[in-house]
Short mmCIF file of all heavy atoms in Angstrom, two decimals:
data_model
loop_
_atom_site.label_atom_id
_atom_site.label_comp_id
_atom_site.label_asym_id
_atom_site.label_seq_id
_atom_site.Cartn_x
_atom_site.Cartn_y
_atom_site.Cartn_z
N ILE A 1813 21.01 -6.60 10.23
CA ILE A 1813 20.55 -7.25 9.00
C ILE A 1813 19.04 -7.39 9.11
O ILE A 1813 18.54 -7.91 10.11
CB ILE A 1813 21.21 -8.63 8.84
CG1 ILE A 1813 22.71 -8.45 8.60
CG2 ILE A 1813 20.57 -9.40 7.70
CD1 ILE A 1813 23.48 -9.71 8.55
N SER A 1814 18.36 -6.89 8.14
CA SER A 1814 16.91 -7.03 8.20
C SER A 1814 16.51 -8.17 7.30
O SER A 1814 17.01 -8.33 6.20
CB SER A 1814 16.24 -5.74 7.74
OG SER A 1814 16.38 -5.62 6.35
N LEU A 1815 15.61 -8.98 7.80
CA LEU A 1815 15.08 -10.07 6.98
C LEU A 1815 14.09 -9.49 5.98
O LEU A 1815 14.03 -9.87 4.84
CB LEU A 1815 14.37 -11.09 7.86
CG LEU A 1815 15.25 -11.74 8.91
CD1 LEU A 1815 14.38 -12.59 9.82
CD2 LEU A 1815 16.29 -12.59 8.22
N ASP A 1816 13.28 -8.59 6.47
CA ASP A 1816 12.28 -7.95 5.64
C ASP A 1816 11.87 -6.67 6.35
O ASP A 1816 12.45 -6.32 7.38
CB ASP A 1816 11.09 -8.87 5.41
CG ASP A 1816 10.55 -9.42 6.72
OD1 ASP A 1816 10.39 -8.65 7.67
OD2 ASP A 1816 10.30 -10.63 6.79
N ALA A 1817 10.88 -6.02 5.84
CA ALA A 1817 10.52 -4.71 6.38
C ALA A 1817 9.94 -4.79 7.79
O ALA A 1817 9.72 -3.77 8.43
CB ALA A 1817 9.51 -4.04 5.45
N LEU A 1818 9.67 -5.99 8.27
CA LEU A 1818 9.09 -6.09 9.60
C LEU A 1818 10.17 -6.27 10.68
O LEU A 1818 9.87 -6.34 11.86
CB LEU A 1818 8.09 -7.25 9.66
CG LEU A 1818 6.90 -7.10 8.71
CD1 LEU A 1818 6.00 -8.32 8.80
CD2 LEU A 1818 6.12 -5.85 9.03
N THR A 1819 11.41 -6.36 10.27
CA THR A 1819 12.48 -6.51 11.26
C THR A 1819 12.75 -5.19 11.97
O THR A 1819 12.74 -5.10 13.18
CB THR A 1819 13.77 -7.01 10.59
OG1 THR A 1819 13.44 -8.06 9.70
CG2 THR A 1819 14.74 -7.52 11.62
N TYR A 1820 13.04 -4.17 11.18
CA TYR A 1820 13.25 -2.84 11.75
C TYR A 1820 12.26 -1.91 11.07
O TYR A 1820 12.33 -1.72 9.85
CB TYR A 1820 14.66 -2.34 11.48
CG TYR A 1820 15.72 -3.19 12.12
CD1 TYR A 1820 16.42 -4.12 11.38
CD2 TYR A 1820 16.00 -3.06 13.47
CE1 TYR A 1820 17.38 -4.92 11.97
CE2 TYR A 1820 16.95 -3.85 14.07
CZ TYR A 1820 17.65 -4.78 13.32
OH TYR A 1820 18.59 -5.56 13.91
N ASN A 1821 11.37 -1.36 11.80
CA ASN A 1821 10.40 -0.46 11.20
C ASN A 1821 9.82 0.41 12.29
O ASN A 1821 10.16 0.29 13.46
CB ASN A 1821 9.31 -1.24 10.47
CG ASN A 1821 8.79 -0.51 9.26
OD1 ASN A 1821 8.68 0.70 9.26
ND2 ASN A 1821 8.48 -1.25 8.22
N GLU A 1822 8.93 1.30 11.88
CA GLU A 1822 8.24 2.13 12.85
C GLU A 1822 6.78 2.22 12.43
O GLU A 1822 6.46 2.23 11.24
CB GLU A 1822 8.82 3.55 12.84
CG GLU A 1822 9.95 3.78 13.79
CD GLU A 1822 10.41 5.22 13.71
OE1 GLU A 1822 9.66 6.11 14.14
OE2 GLU A 1822 11.51 5.45 13.18
N ILE A 1823 5.92 2.34 13.42
CA ILE A 1823 4.51 2.52 13.13
C ILE A 1823 4.23 4.01 13.04
O ILE A 1823 4.75 4.79 13.83
CB ILE A 1823 3.66 1.86 14.23
CG1 ILE A 1823 3.87 0.35 14.20
CG2 ILE A 1823 2.19 2.20 14.06
CD1 ILE A 1823 3.38 -0.35 15.42
N ASP A 1824 3.44 4.38 12.07
CA ASP A 1824 3.07 5.78 11.92
C ASP A 1824 2.09 6.14 13.03
O ASP A 1824 0.97 5.63 13.07
CB ASP A 1824 2.41 5.96 10.55
CG ASP A 1824 2.10 7.42 10.27
OD1 ASP A 1824 2.20 8.22 11.21
OD2 ASP A 1824 1.77 7.74 9.13
N PRO A 1825 2.49 7.00 13.97
CA PRO A 1825 1.58 7.30 15.08
C PRO A 1825 0.31 8.03 14.62
O PRO A 1825 -0.71 8.00 15.30
CB PRO A 1825 2.42 8.17 16.01
CG PRO A 1825 3.60 8.58 15.26
CD PRO A 1825 3.75 7.72 14.06
N GLU A 1826 0.40 8.66 13.46
CA GLU A 1826 -0.77 9.36 12.95
C GLU A 1826 -1.79 8.38 12.37
O GLU A 1826 -2.96 8.71 12.21
CB GLU A 1826 -0.37 10.33 11.84
CG GLU A 1826 0.61 11.39 12.27
CD GLU A 1826 -0.05 12.42 13.15
OE1 GLU A 1826 -1.10 12.95 12.74
OE2 GLU A 1826 0.45 12.66 14.26
N ARG A 1827 -1.31 7.24 11.98
CA ARG A 1827 -2.19 6.27 11.33
C ARG A 1827 -2.22 5.02 12.17
O ARG A 1827 -1.90 3.93 11.71
CB ARG A 1827 -1.69 5.94 9.92
CG ARG A 1827 -1.37 7.10 9.05
CD ARG A 1827 -2.59 7.72 8.43
NE ARG A 1827 -3.41 6.76 7.76
CZ ARG A 1827 -4.57 7.06 7.20
NH1 ARG A 1827 -5.04 8.28 7.26
NH2 ARG A 1827 -5.27 6.15 6.60
N ASN A 1828 -2.59 5.17 13.40
CA ASN A 1828 -2.63 4.01 14.26
C ASN A 1828 -3.94 4.05 15.04
O ASN A 1828 -4.05 4.64 16.08
CB ASN A 1828 -1.44 4.04 15.23
CG ASN A 1828 -1.55 2.96 16.26
OD1 ASN A 1828 -1.94 1.85 15.96
ND2 ASN A 1828 -1.24 3.31 17.49
N SER A 1829 -4.94 3.47 14.45
CA SER A 1829 -6.26 3.45 15.07
C SER A 1829 -6.91 2.15 14.63
O SER A 1829 -6.35 1.43 13.80
CB SER A 1829 -7.07 4.66 14.59
OG SER A 1829 -7.36 4.50 13.22
N PRO A 1830 -8.06 1.85 15.18
CA PRO A 1830 -8.71 0.62 14.72
C PRO A 1830 -8.97 0.67 13.21
O PRO A 1830 -9.02 -0.35 12.55
CB PRO A 1830 -10.02 0.59 15.49
CG PRO A 1830 -9.79 1.44 16.68
CD PRO A 1830 -8.79 2.47 16.27
N GLU A 1831 -9.14 1.88 12.68
CA GLU A 1831 -9.51 1.98 11.26
C GLU A 1831 -8.31 2.01 10.33
O GLU A 1831 -8.48 1.94 9.11
CB GLU A 1831 -10.35 3.24 10.99
CG GLU A 1831 -11.78 3.14 11.47
CD GLU A 1831 -11.87 3.45 12.95
OE1 GLU A 1831 -11.12 4.33 13.40
OE2 GLU A 1831 -12.65 2.79 13.65
N SER A 1832 -7.14 2.22 10.89
CA SER A 1832 -6.01 2.29 9.97
C SER A 1832 -4.73 1.89 10.66
O SER A 1832 -4.59 2.00 11.88
CB SER A 1832 -5.88 3.70 9.40
OG SER A 1832 -5.55 4.60 10.43
#
Side-chain angles (χ1 to χ4, degrees):
Chain A
I1813 293 175
S1814 73
L1815 300 172
D1816 51 46
L1818 298 178
T1819 315
Y1820 298 100
N1821 212 324
E1822 270 181 69
I1823 294 165
D1824 185 349
E1826 300 288 308
R1827 311 280 308 176
N1828 172 41
S1829 68
E1831 285 82 36
S1832 65

